[in-house]
Amino acid sequence: QKEVEQDPGPLSVPEGAIVSLNCTYSNSAFQYFMWYRQYSRKGPELLMYTYSSGNKEDGRFTAQVDKSSKYISLFIRDSQPSDSATYLCAMSSNAGGTSYGKLTFGQGTILTVHP
Amino acid sequence: DAGVTQSPTHLIKTRGQQVTLRCSPISGHKSVSWYQQVLGQGPQFIFQYYEKEERGRGNFPDRFSARQFPNYSSELNVNALLLGDSALYLCASGRGQSSYGYTFGSGTRLTVV
């Protein structure tokens, strides 16, 4: 079983739709939760960062973390064609040792927003 | 300000050869991490270097090695290349050791034939 599971999709939605992206994880030591967006032929770009449980909102993006369920979500409101990309969840424990500085990524979800 | 710079952008190598990939972090960043991203998968952690010392290592064979220079730039070396090493190699830089807030470069696309 992978430490982080993410539905690879692909996910196709019309412009203006609300998009929900999700990841589950098995490592209870994860404390930092991130969402990255990756356009084709580019490196991942940090969208949202959350520490521990709770919600965080930034413009059209909302990140939710439920540590009791080991489940995180990213919601995109009023989706735009420019949101079409691969979305990666990532987690970190900063537990020290050889894991220090390590981000564990999900597989990525391919999102297409069509006009 | 320049972002994270990686070179080369693309390269093709033959099985058994050796390759060196280069990364220049954002000015002021002292941490560099390397990730391997196979097509259709999320990035996999290879190494983290902070203040020129290895601070983290992922589950990769000893064929993979790296170092960080006094100017905080970094090289990733892979020896005895296998077909399975074909991937996008990503470099990420950060101010400290913590893994959040990393900025990634656009990567080096390595193809092993």
Side-chain angles (χ1 to χ4, degrees):
Chain A
Q1 181 188 7
K2 293 183 179 180
E3 277 190 296
V4 180
E5 298 276 1
Q6 183 177 5
D7 185 345
L11 188 60
S12 180
V13 301
E15 183 175 355
I18 296 175
V19 176
S20 173
L21 305 168
N22 311 291
C23 288
T24 59
Y25 63 94
S26 58
N27 188 344
S28 299
F30 287 143
Q31 301 177 63
Y32 303 92
F33 304 92
M34 287 140 277
W35 286 95
Y36 283 83
R37 176 174 63 195
Q38 187 173 25
Y39 291 114
S40 180
R41 304 180 191 281
K42 296 291 187 182
E45 169 195 12
L46 182 65
L47 277 177
M48 301 285 286
Y49 153 71
T50 308
Y51 172 69
S52 194
S53 286
N55 295 354
K56 187 172 184 178
E57 187 173 324
D58 184 2
R60 297 186 294 111
F61 298 91
T62 300
Q64 291 184 349
V65 175
D66 183 349
K67 290 190 71 178
S68 63
S69 301
K70 296 189 178 64
Y71 187 86
I72 72 169
S73 300
L74 177 70
F75 297 94
I76 307 174
R77 292 183 298 279
D78 187 25
S79 56
Q80 302 294 310
S82 59
D83 295 328
S84 299
T86 297
Y87 289 80
L88 296 154
C89 63
M91 307 178 190
S92 172
S93 66
N94 278 358
T98 58
S99 296
Y100 208 91
K102 173 184 175 181
L103 286 174
T104 302
F105 283 86
Q107 184 177 355
T109 299
I110 300 171
L111 171 67
T112 302
V113 181
H114 50 87
Chain B
D1 286 341
V4 178
T5 305
Q6 292 189 244
S7 63
T9 305
H10 299 87
L11 75 166
I12 300 174
K13 290 286 188 178
T14 305
R15 278 177 297 175
Q17 285 189 316
Q18 176 263 341
V19 68
T20 298
L21 312 179
R22 295 176 176 81
C23 172
S24 293
I26 291 172
S27 178
H29 285 192
K30 298 181 178 181
S31 171
V32 169
S33 297
W34 288 95
Y35 287 79
Q36 179 197 66
Q37 186 175 23
V38 173
L39 192 63
Q41 299 294 319
Q44 295 285 316
F45 175 71
I46 309 176
F47 289 109
Q48 188 206 39
Y49 277 77
Y50 177 72
E51 288 285 14
K52 293 152 281 186
E53 292 187 4
E54 182 183 304
R55 299 301 180 102
R57 173 184 282 258
N59 188 24
F60 279 80
D62 292 343
R63 299 185 295 108
F64 289 77
S65 63
R67 55 180 175 170
Q68 187 176 33
F69 298 98
N71 66 353
Y72 301 107
S73 67
S74 178
E75 288 182 350
L76 175 70
N77 296 284
V78 186
N79 294 322
L81 285 167
L82 304 174
L83 295 179
D85 294 331
S86 296
L88 179 67
Y89 287 85
L90 295 162
C91 173
S93 77
R95 291 190 182 279
Q97 282 187 268
S98 299
S99 54
Y100 52 89
Y102 280 175
T103 300
F104 282 83
S106 293
T108 294
R109 174 73 61 186
L110 171 65
T111 302
V112 182
V113 296

